[in-house]
Amino acid sequence: RRTAPFAVTPEHVFAAGKDAAGRGLFYRPVRDTIVGQGKVVARHSVFRDAGGVRFAPVADSADGLGAPLDAAQPKWPAFGHAGLPPAPLGCALASPVLALAGGKRRIAVDLQLGRLDPAKHSGEGLARAFSAFLSGPKGWLGPFALGGTLSAAVLSLEFTLAEGEPAVVGYDPAVHGLALATTAPVVQLLLAPEAAADYADLAGLAVDKAAIRVEVQGLTTLALANDNGSLNPKKAFQPFGPQPVISSRF
């Protein structure tokens, strides 16, 4: 039956039966929520302990990953558990400069960090804590080990794709999953599984600015294009088009 949206607030109290000692269980919302015509289509859960952060992409399943529930006791842990796989934590950056088709490709990501504690963090330590992934033709390329330096509050992370590695291509949700709002190539910097226990020390870091630098050696093919289409290098051409504007590409 269609009903008007209803506001659930911290003033509401919900009874949930009694505990083993016979005491009543009551729950109160921690924030305002408008209950309307929405429909729950997926359930996820996050579990954090001393070993890091764990994630159940299908919380209402036997293993948190989609296995069917026991028909006799169709129960599932709503708030996760320590047996779940590590959560994919980190950040993703998108840029047309990552469209690197071949050759030996060196990629550097410069992150200006806020709330950095030099007593806890070093460039080498932060680099070891993360791995890099790139959007490739058939999925994510990687993981790639990172080298890192820290100067003032700028963390520079570098890695290399060898000649013969697949091209770095534009992000496509049908190929790469996730739900990123871009069609440009993407580099992900994700917390390595062996560094999951370092989450508490890293969670306070903030990225204030980011820049991507690339360098290519040994490229044997070259295609030229701008926002208007492909260019013929055998003839004179206008690299940024007849009416260039800020952010025009070549």
Side-chain angles (χ1 to χ4, degrees), residues 4 27 45 55 72 117 132 135 149 203 205 241:
Y27 291 88
S45 65
F55 174 63
D117 185 352
S135 50
T149 58
L205 295 176

Side-chain angles (χ1 to χ4, degrees), residues 173-199:
V175 175
H176 305 106
L178 307 178
L180 306 179
T182 184
T183 58
V186 171
V187 56
Q188 288 193 89
L189 301 174
L190 299 182
L191 190 65
E194 58 272 18
D198 297 331
Y199 171 78

Side-chain angles (χ1 to χ4, degrees), residues 19-73:
D19 63 12
R23 294 169 297 194
L25 294 173
F26 299 93
Y27 291 88
R28 186 188 300 273
V30 298
R31 66 182 67 86
D32 293 346
T33 302
I34 303 298
V35 179
Q37 302 300 322
K39 181 181 180 182
V40 176
V41 297
R43 299 169 182 86
H44 314 299
S45 65
V46 176
F47 181 86
R48 179 180 173 184
D49 60 10
V53 181
R54 303 181 182 279
F55 174 63
V58 188
D60 52 335
S61 64
D63 59 358
L65 304 176
L69 296 170
D70 184 348
Q73 289 188 320

Side-chain angles (χ1 to χ4, degrees), residues 21 28 50 52 59 76 92 108 142 173 189 214 237:
R28 186 188 300 273
W76 49 278
L189 301 174
V214 299
F237 60 85

Side-chain angles (χ1 to χ4, degrees), residues 36-37 39 57 89 92 99 133 160 192 197 217:
Q37 302 300 322
K39 181 181 180 182
L89 300 172
F133 296 82
T160 299
Q217 296 177 344

Side-chain angles (χ1 to χ4, degrees), residues 3 7 12 33 46 68 141 172 219:
T3 58
H12 292 89
T33 302
V46 176
L141 308 177
D172 181 351
L219 185 66

Side-chain angles (χ1 to χ4, degrees), residues 114-116 121 198-207:
R115 300 195 295 273
L116 179 71
H121 305 119
D198 297 331
Y199 171 78
D201 288 335
L202 300 172
L205 295 176
V207 177

